[in-house]
């Protein structure tokens, strides 16, 4: 079975996986990083979004072996101790979550957008989040949160 090594939230992690092991599965089941959620079998919900070398990726669409050697950031890697990442703060302040199931993926996607577009319009946010589904239908506040979080980030992650 192949061995993979990747930097996850700043720490080098190695594991033995099957060729078919998904990155989402490796993060959750091998590394115990269960903040990355799996909400579908069809690559549609976006609950599993993480950053791979700085870009948002649905980790259920990527094999662990494809991420060998990559830098991965998951939702667990955002806060600095008790200090939340500005995008996490914005979701809290703008009530951008209800049950929270979609939130890790939403936040990871939103940070990628903010890195590309520091002051995104409502239209841009809605278009960007097309691949992130919220079953609580909290989109209105999510959009407000993403816009505020992007401004708070000031153009940097
Ligand atoms: S679990 Fe990856 S898109 Fe739904
Ligand atoms: S807050 Fe419940 S799925 Fe989005």
């Amino acid at each position: 079975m192949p061995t993979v090594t990747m930097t996850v939230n700043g720490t080098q992690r190695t594991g033995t996986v099957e060729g078919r092991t998904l990155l989402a599965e490796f993060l959750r089941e091998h590394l115990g990083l269960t903040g990355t959620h799996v909400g579908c079998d069809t690559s549609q919900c976006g609950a599993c979004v993480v950053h791979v070398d700085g870009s948002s990726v649905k980790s259920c669409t990527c094999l662990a072996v494809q991420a060998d050697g990559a830098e991965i950031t998951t939702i667990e890697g955002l806060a600095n101790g008790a200090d939340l990442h500005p995008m996490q703060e914005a979701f809290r302040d703008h009530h951008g979550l209800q049950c929270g199931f979609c939130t890790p993926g939403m936040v990871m996607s939103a940070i990628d957008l903010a890195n590309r577009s520091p002051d995104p319009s409502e239209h841009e946010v809605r278009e960007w989040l097309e691949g992130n589904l919220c079953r609580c239908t909290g989109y209105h506040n999510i959009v407000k949160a993403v816009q505020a979080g992007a401004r708070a980030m000031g153009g940097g992650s």
Side-chain angles (χ1 to χ4, degrees), residues 10 18 39 58 65 84 98 131 149:
E18 291 185 58
K58 288 179 174 175
V65 291
L84 294 177
Q98 292 183 48

Side-chain angles (χ1 to χ4, degrees), residues 96-103 106 133-138 142:
L97 60 137
Q98 292 183 48
C99 79
F101 189 84
C102 69
T103 312
M106 289 281 184
L133 304 180
C134 176
R135 61 191 173 184
C136 302
T137 63
I142 288 171

